[in-house]
Amino acid sequence: MALNEGDPRECDMTSQLKARHWIDGEWMDAKDRRESVNPATGEPIGSYTEATQAEATKAIEAALRAFQETEWSENRRLRAKVLNDMADRFEARTQDLVEILALENGKVKPEGQFEVSMVPSKLRFYAALTLTDFGRAVETAAGRYTTTLREPAGVAGIIAPWNSPVVLFIRSLAPALAAGCTTVGKLPGFTAQTNARMCEVFSEVKDLPKGVVNVFTESGSAGARMLIDCPDVPVISLTGSSKTGQAIMAACAKNLKRFSGELGGKTPILLFDDTDLDKALPIVEKALTVFAGQFCMTGSRLLVHRPILDAVRNRLAARLEAVKVGPAADLSSDMGPMINVANVKRVDAMVEAAIAGGAKVVVRGGPIQDGPLAKGAFYRPTLLEIDDHSMPIAQEEVFGPVLVMQAFDTEDEAVALANQSDYGLAASVWSTNIDRPLRIARRIDAGTVWINNWAIVYDETEEGGYKQSGLGRLNGMSAIDDFLEYRTIIQEIDLAASRRQPASAEHAPRRRLAGTVAAQ
């Protein structure tokens, strides 16, 4: 493999990792080289090359050339084959990707496995959709035929985040490729080595034309601004914060560029008095601690029916205090580090402000400041109880393992509290009553509502948010729409003239044959 010098699976060689960009089917370096850091130790594991406008420009030029000069945009069977082959290669390289996620992103091994395992099925779903996604035709009047074609929009810019870089990049890439677009991906510097390992997978797909998939890494925004401002990139697909989405959407307006994005979330979990707490509380714990709370669907608001409030408080506190925080290298760790110390400080400042504002501490959690983990970006789970749902800690996306809990007395109050948010990405409703969960789910302003569960996502069903949680949908059949244009062709045939024409010679034998058969 040409990309990385050394192997991240060998601990004594991690300092040799050198990640580069993947543009026009070639590895590309740049002058500005920066450190990749293990968030569990704060130590460097290698380096990566930071993209500039020059690298982004080359990537856009390569993608545009591939769209205009190769058969990619027109050959559905090629696209289906490539997506299936890509799925095979991701399966074969699963362990490599899990290891680098654990090392660079901080995920404990089961979480890394969970992320990577979602990739092949997404690629295969869109491979199938490539061959089954059709336009339509209709005879709108006698002799007038209207055909509507679904065609690729062109070059798609994909901006993915650091919290789950593999699956969230593929989640946009797969429908873009299925639609026939060529792509330029902007991936974050925090996961440069993971980005590079993904690009190794792309390089192993033999039938993938050069320039169809291009990826550059940056910690800044120079390359992303090129994607957003360039008129040769008609589509931007973002997974990121709501603030970033608002800024990109405003910038896209200049060229009336199509924008879709899954943005922030503040997922409420509603526990009614008939909830099976033995089933619910382990999932509530994971809803907070998966990816160290750095997840758009993190269960960060717990709304509890007052009759079970004391039981939930006591049992959940015991569970959160027992969570073993540690590095992915320790297979007994329940939750890994946050992405860096700066984010640990940011989250803790939000918690301190909430406590000063009246939030009651149930489990303080917080930064690990002593012992061997003190050098890493570790933050123990925190549980606060509040009476005022308008507090910033209940309204703003924390992006860390901090849970706020509030009691409610009626269904209407529960729904009102759940909807008291600028976000509407997801929600979770718990009750053993046969009617209540669906009744409540229909009233919550969220793109996904789980009943007696959390974070169950299927490739074939849409995922996305209401309100400040985004525009458009990813996963499902609707995801491909963000990358398509519709062309309508209207053709009129003079039927009267065709009736006046004598039968052509090529049709005469058929008529004679038909008559002969009829006679027999």
Side-chain angles (χ1 to χ4, degrees), residues 284-305:
V284 172
E285 174 198 321
K286 286 299 182 185
L288 179 67
T289 60
V290 163
F291 308 160
Q294 300 167 123
F295 184 28
C296 55
M297 292 179 171
T298 291
S300 55
R301 293 188 291 153
L302 185 62
L303 305 175
V304 184
H305 211 166

Side-chain angles (χ1 to χ4, degrees), residues 108-110 286 322-336:
V108 294
K109 297 294 179 67
K286 286 299 182 185
V323 170
K324 183 178 179 182
V325 179
D330 181 352
L331 297 182
S332 66
S333 297
D334 297 317
M335 186 179 85

Side-chain angles (χ1 to χ4, degrees), residues 270-273 303-307 406-418 429 436 439-440 443-444:
L270 286 65
L271 303 182
F272 286 90
D273 57 0
L303 305 175
V304 184
H305 211 166
R306 198 174 299 278
Q406 184 170 357
F408 65 84
D409 292 300
T410 66
E411 285 189 10
D412 286 345
E413 185 183 5
V415 171
L417 289 172
V429 179
R436 175 186 275 161
R439 182 170 65 240
I440 297 297
R443 298 176 63 193
I444 293 178

Side-chain angles (χ1 to χ4, degrees), residues 159-163 168 171 237-246 248 259-265 296 397 399 423 425 468-470 474:
I159 302 174
W162 50 260
N163 60 317
L168 295 183
R171 188 177 62 170
S237 178
L238 167 73
T239 303
S241 70
S242 298
K243 184 178 180 180
T244 300
Q246 290 168 349
I248 292 176
F259 169 79
S260 65
E262 184 184 282
L263 307 178
C296 55
E397 188 174 31
F399 227 61
Y423 298 105
L425 185 58
Q468 297 294 315
S469 288
L474 290 168

Side-chain angles (χ1 to χ4, degrees), residues 76 128-135 150 178-179 477 480-481 484 486:
R76 290 172 176 265
L129 196 58
T130 300
L131 299 179
T132 58
D133 185 48
F134 301 110
R150 288 157 58 93
M477 296 180 67
I480 201 170
D481 291 339
L484 291 171
Y486 286 77

Side-chain angles (χ1 to χ4, degrees), residues 18-238:
K18 292 184 179 179
R20 293 176 281 178
H21 314 296
W22 174 249
I23 296 174
D24 205 15
E26 303 289 341
W27 302 115
M28 182 175 293
D29 216 328
K31 293 180 180 179
D32 185 3
R33 187 161 281 278
R34 305 187 180 188
E35 280 188 342
S36 293
V37 175
N38 179 351
T41 64
E43 297 174 352
I45 59 173
S47 65
Y48 68 95
T49 181
E50 171 80 0
T52 66
Q53 289 187 356
E55 285 73 42
T57 299
K58 290 177 182 177
I60 294 169
E61 289 172 349
L64 184 61
R65 186 165 54 249
F67 186 77
Q68 294 174 340
E69 298 178 7
T70 74
E71 60 179 325
W72 181 258
S73 65
E74 299 174 344
N75 190 333
R76 290 172 176 265
R77 296 193 179 279
L78 172 63
R79 301 202 298 269
K81 184 179 188 306
V82 164
L83 285 164
N84 278 314
D85 290 348
M86 196 177 288
D88 293 343
R89 293 313 306 151
F90 268 97
E91 275 185 338
R93 297 292 297 276
T94 293
Q95 197 56 38
D96 288 346
L97 290 162
V98 171
E99 294 292 336
I100 199 63
L101 277 169
L103 180 67
E104 182 182 41
N105 192 245
K107 287 183 172 69
V108 294
K109 297 294 179 67
E111 293 175 356
Q113 187 76 33
F114 170 66
E115 176 177 344
V116 178
S117 70
M118 291 190 284
V119 168
S121 62
K122 291 187 187 304
L123 293 165
R124 292 188 178 116
F125 176 79
Y126 288 103
L129 196 58
T130 300
L131 299 179
T132 58
D133 185 48
F134 301 110
R136 63 184 184 272
V138 61
E139 187 177 14
T140 53
R144 181 176 295 165
Y145 297 91
T146 300
T147 302
T148 300
L149 305 176
R150 288 157 58 93
E151 300 179 336
V155 177
I158 299 172
I159 302 174
W162 50 260
N163 60 317
S164 294
V166 179
V167 70
L168 295 183
F169 182 56
I170 297 299
R171 188 177 62 170
S172 290
L173 181 71
L177 296 181
C181 289
T182 56
T183 59
V184 179
K186 182 269 191 190
L187 294 179
F190 287 144
T191 58
Q193 306 302 328
T194 304
N195 309 343
R197 196 56 54 93
M198 251 197 305
C199 289
E200 289 182 0
V201 178
F202 301 142
S203 74
E204 295 168 0
V205 181
K206 295 180 180 179
D207 291 318
L208 178 65
K210 291 174 59 175
V212 169
V213 177
N214 307 274
V215 176
F216 64 83
T217 291
E218 66 175 0
S219 58
S221 59
R225 283 196 298 269
M226 282 296 300
L227 285 178
I228 295 160
D229 293 339
C230 180
D232 290 329
V233 182
V235 179
I236 296 291
S237 178
L238 167 73

